[in-house]
Amino acid sequence: MPVFGASSTAQLAWLEAHRDGTPYLAAAFGAQSAASLIIASDGQPVLPIGGFNGEDPVPTLAAFQQLIADGDLRYVLAGSAGALGSGGGAGGVGSGGDTGSTSAEIRAWVRENCTAMTDAAASGIYDCTP
């Protein structure tokens, strides 16, 4: 499981401060990345995208978009690379080649429709406020 280090601790503090009452603290690519954030946040809800290895079609792009539209989800973690690449799996968004997967579709949608946060503490976080 990924270690939640100093920069990730700053991300967690930023997410908690800016959550604005959304049911999900954030979404993360891969179940291991989501689990790390869930543990670090004392069990706050985090949406894992793509399951364990980033290839499971959960959630679908339509379901993800509906969570955003309904105000249930606002932030997406880009992963350790800080950018939405074309990878997936346990390491985040830049660790593999899952082109054509549901995770890749969501990644592309986030890149096109969400805003990368520029605050240093929020590095690697995308705001998907509709």
Side-chain angles (χ1 to χ4, degrees):
M1 181 173 301
V3 176
F4 220 75
S7 64
S8 299
T9 301
Q11 283 182 330
L12 174 58
W14 190 92
L15 286 167
E16 289 174 333
H18 294 87
R19 184 175 183 180
D20 295 331
T22 59
Y24 286 101
L25 179 63
F29 289 91
Q32 289 184 5
S33 295
S36 181
L37 184 55
I38 291 166
I39 291 167
S41 67
D42 292 326
Q44 293 187 50
V46 175
L47 178 69
I49 299 170
F52 180 78
N53 63 1
E55 295 179 9
D56 293 335
V58 178
T60 64
L61 176 58
F64 179 82
Q65 290 169 325
Q66 193 63 52
L67 288 169
I68 298 293
D70 291 346
D72 292 333
L73 175 65
R74 179 174 179 179
Y75 297 111
V76 178
L77 293 179
S80 58
L84 291 168
S86 61
V93 297
S95 61
D98 68 347
T99 57
S101 73
T102 300
S103 292
E105 291 175 355
I106 292 172
R107 229 179 260 99
W109 186 88
V110 169
R111 248 192 329 264
E112 293 170 15
N113 296 281
C114 304
T115 304
M117 300 288 84
T118 57
D119 182 342
S123 177
I125 298 172
Y126 281 72
D127 183 350
C128 296
T129 303

